[in-house]
Amino acid sequence: MNCLHVPKIMMPKEGTDLYKWSVIACDQYTSQPEYWQETEKIVGDAPSTLKLILPEVYLEGEDEKQRVENIHKTMKQYVEEGTLQEMPAGFMLVERSYGKALSRCGLVVEIDLETYEYKKGAHSLTRPTEMTVEERIPPRLRVRQTATVELPHIMLLIDDPERTVIEPLMAKKDSFQKMYDTDLMQKGGHIIGWFIPEGEETSRIMKLIENLADPDAFKEKYHLQEDYPLLNFAVGDGNHSMATAKAAWENIKKDLPETEWENHPARYCLCEIVNVQDESLEIEPIHRVMFGVDKEELFTEAKSYYEAKACSFCVEEGVSEKPFTDNDTHCFAFCSKDGVGMIKVNHPAWGIAVATLQNFLDEFLSSHPDCKIDYIHGEDVVDSLGKKAGNIGFLLPDIHKEDLFKGVIVDGVLPRKTFSMGEANEKRYYMECKRIEK
């Protein structure tokens, strides 16, 4: 079954300042309002995707309702006044550089939400890599449910070790029409996009991607001794946005005859496909910062929790080492107002280190409602936030990206916020849009 659909992408009209148009994904810098305040200064009165999104730093804020109303108003205005213009059907080939040796390559497409499921135990061809927190969907649904257009920061991973899909397209990128070529604000690097019109090329691409989930090749690739549900796409970034799109579509189709499902634009979600084997793709652990917590109480409860799971737990104050994981130990670095240290869980009951830490933190948070947690990409931010009074930051060990697909296939979704693809400033910037209102 093919999961993809060829979208009619919308782009800002010619002459738009793309440096001001394109801003980073709304789920970044959620504990740093100053980042978004600086972005507002850069954008000013210019047309911008900033005015089409709700940065999650403002979720549940006093002015959220007004912000959402302004977003919906601006979406309609951009469409009606021609600030956003619809292109013919096609894909967008994307190259993103950050001043590093290698650029990240991707392909902007539409995914059929009928082939995606985020519920635990899902067997769909498109699944999240990490656990979806369903409580996070309703506030995002308030933005999407009556929106005119969508903007993607979703990144879908394919596992294509032979590099059959995206890399050959990059080799002949100059044969496609260049649609944009711009620097990105706030240390976002540079991005170029080439348009691939619907036709033989897009059909070939979809067939190649479908072949990645061929049952025989799938079993051999992952050395599977049993029959597991096929996995064509794993959601790498933006899973809660994709889950929100799914929830919105499920609401819409309740009132639609089934004959109208196939051609409704909200059935399809715009996203960027990236090969997990891309050499530029750095899979980074996502670190944790706890707010409003007593460190000694946290560690006392951690000791009881892990010993009840037949693990041993120890704290080493004043020790500064790189966190690590092996078959018998999961080790995390921490920082607080008192300094730094390490915690070690020996004989862990979980296969990956992030599960070892997150399962305890989830239990602790459930019994301490005044405590909060945030998920941080940069080690420097963890250090800055973790050392404030009442906080504690945790640094996680490195993750091996080749294990991601097999982990989803065999064990199901990973704990939420297990990994990140690059630093916060390397996340997807909004550029393309698409109608979702019929």
Side-chain angles (χ1 to χ4, degrees):
M1 179 181 180
N2 203 309
C3 302
L4 299 185
H5 191 257
V6 184
K8 288 187 175 180
I9 291 170
M10 303 184 81
M11 289 292 296
K13 66 182 179 182
E14 188 175 353
T16 300
D17 185 341
L18 296 182
Y19 182 82
K20 295 182 178 181
W21 171 260
S22 189
V23 305
I24 203 163
C26 64
D27 59 350
Q28 298 304 304
Y29 301 102
T30 54
S31 295
Q32 296 168 269
E34 62 274 11
Y35 175 93
W36 292 101
Q37 291 161 6
E38 178 63 22
T39 300
E40 289 172 7
K41 290 179 183 178
I42 294 170
V43 167
D45 295 329
S48 177
T49 54
L50 178 64
K51 299 168 185 178
L52 305 179
I53 64 166
L54 180 62
E56 295 189 2
V57 69
Y58 302 126
L59 272 181
E60 311 290 352
E62 292 181 1
D63 62 346
E64 181 193 298
K65 183 178 179 181
Q66 185 60 55
R67 285 179 179 272
V68 172
E69 289 177 0
N70 291 342
I71 288 168
H72 292 158
K73 179 181 178 181
T74 305
M75 285 179 173
K76 290 183 181 295
Q77 179 184 334
Y78 280 5
V79 173
E80 291 170 359
E81 296 180 357
T83 301
L84 275 171
Q85 299 182 345
E86 193 170 76
M87 299 169 54
F91 295 157
M92 192 75 76
L93 182 65
V94 175
E95 182 176 23
R96 174 86 176 277
S97 58
Y98 321 96
K100 297 181 179 179
L102 299 169
S103 299
R104 187 180 75 210
C105 304
L107 191 68
V108 177
V109 302
E110 272 185 331
I111 191 77
D112 185 349
L113 290 168
E114 290 290 325
T115 70
Y116 163 73
E117 182 54 71
Y118 58 83
K119 303 282 186 180
K120 189 174 182 179
H123 292 170
S124 52
L125 284 167
T126 307
R127 302 200 291 277
T129 49
E130 301 175 346
M131 183 174 67
T132 304
V133 183
E134 295 192 41
E135 292 78 9
R136 295 182 63 190
I137 295 175
R140 291 154 182 79
L141 199 56
R142 292 195 288 270
V143 181
R144 178 158 184 120
Q145 192 67 63
T146 57
T148 306
V149 300
E150 70 170 2
L151 299 79
H153 69 263
I154 298 163
M155 191 177 292
L156 288 184
L157 300 176
I158 55 173
D159 189 6
D160 183 19
E162 301 301 319
R163 294 166 169 76
T164 63
V165 180
I166 296 173
E167 290 78 3
L169 295 172
M170 289 303 302
K172 57 180 181 181
K173 63 188 179 185
D174 292 338
S175 66
F176 305 123
Q177 180 185 3
K178 184 185 288 187
M179 295 302 300
Y180 53 81
D181 187 344
T182 184
D183 288 336
L184 297 170
M185 68 170 72
Q186 299 265 58
K187 301 179 180 179
H190 193 90
I191 191 167
I192 308 173
W194 296 267
F195 181 63
I196 305 176
E198 183 176 27
E200 290 184 9
E201 190 71 76
T202 56
S203 296
R204 186 186 67 83
I205 291 167
M206 289 192 288
K207 182 60 179 174
L208 287 169
I209 291 176
E210 188 177 7
N211 289 346
L212 295 176
D214 172 80
D216 292 336
F218 182 83
K219 201 167 185 176
E220 181 179 352
K221 182 194 298 186
Y222 299 110
H223 309 288
L224 302 174
Q225 303 302 314
E226 304 173 30
D227 290 327
Y228 288 92
L230 298 174
L231 180 66
N232 209 171
F233 295 99
V235 185
D237 267 345
N239 182 62
H240 285 90
S241 291
M242 193 160 178
T244 301
K246 174 73 170 183
W249 167 238
E250 292 296 328
N251 287 340
I252 289 169
K253 77 179 190 181
K254 288 176 186 175
D255 300 321
L256 285 180
E258 195 168 340
T259 53
E260 295 184 22
W261 289 6
E262 184 175 355
N263 294 318
H264 197 289
R267 171 174 172 165
Y268 306 96
C269 184
L270 211 58
C271 54
E272 181 180 345
I273 296 174
V274 174
N275 184 7
V276 74
Q277 304 293 345
D278 188 314
E279 291 180 4
S280 73
L281 196 63
E282 298 177 357
I283 302 296
E284 304 283 352
I286 298 180
H287 308 298
R288 273 74 171 144
V289 174
M290 298 283 283
F291 300 85
V293 63
D294 180 275
K295 185 184 71 172
E296 299 308 321
E297 181 182 24
L298 182 78
F299 287 164
T300 297
E301 294 196 20
K303 182 175 176 63
S304 298
Y305 175 84
Y306 289 117
E307 288 180 352
K309 304 286 185 184
C311 314
S312 68
F313 173 81
C314 68
V315 178
E316 297 180 4
E317 298 274 4
V319 176
S320 180
E321 295 180 5
K322 185 176 176 60
F324 68 88
T325 178
D326 58 33
N327 290 334
D328 201 46
T329 304
H330 291 165
C331 179
F332 310 90
F334 70 85
C335 62
S336 70
K337 67 178 180 60
D338 301 321
V340 300
M342 307 294 291
I343 60 172
K344 295 182 179 180
V345 179
N346 296 310
H347 317 300
W350 300 270
I352 56 175
V354 64
T356 297
L357 180 62
Q358 189 64 45
N359 277 286
F360 163 65
L361 295 181
D362 284 344
E363 180 154 310
F364 184 86
L365 287 164
S366 69
S367 59
H368 297 76
D370 292 336
C371 298
K372 305 296 180 186
I373 189 170
D374 199 4
Y375 302 92
I376 308 294
H377 297 286
E379 293 185 12
D380 56 336
V381 179
V382 174
D383 185 71
S384 173
L385 294 174
K387 288 182 176 178
K388 292 182 178 180
N391 297 353
I392 183 168
F394 293 100
L395 295 177
L396 277 77
D398 291 338
I399 293 172
H400 303 293
K401 66 182 183 180
E402 57 268 23
D403 294 334
L404 292 179
F405 265 68
K406 189 168 183 178
V408 174
I409 293 163
V410 176
D411 298 326
V413 295
L414 307 174
R416 68 180 181 275
K417 299 293 185 180
T418 294
F419 69 94
S420 168
M421 289 179 288
E423 299 293 334
N425 65 304
E426 299 175 8
K427 294 303 182 178
R428 195 171 203 285
Y429 275 58
Y430 299 108
M431 181 66 76
E432 302 85 357
C433 301
K434 180 187 80 84
R435 288 181 185 267
I436 54 174
E437 184 181 71
K438 195 160 185 179

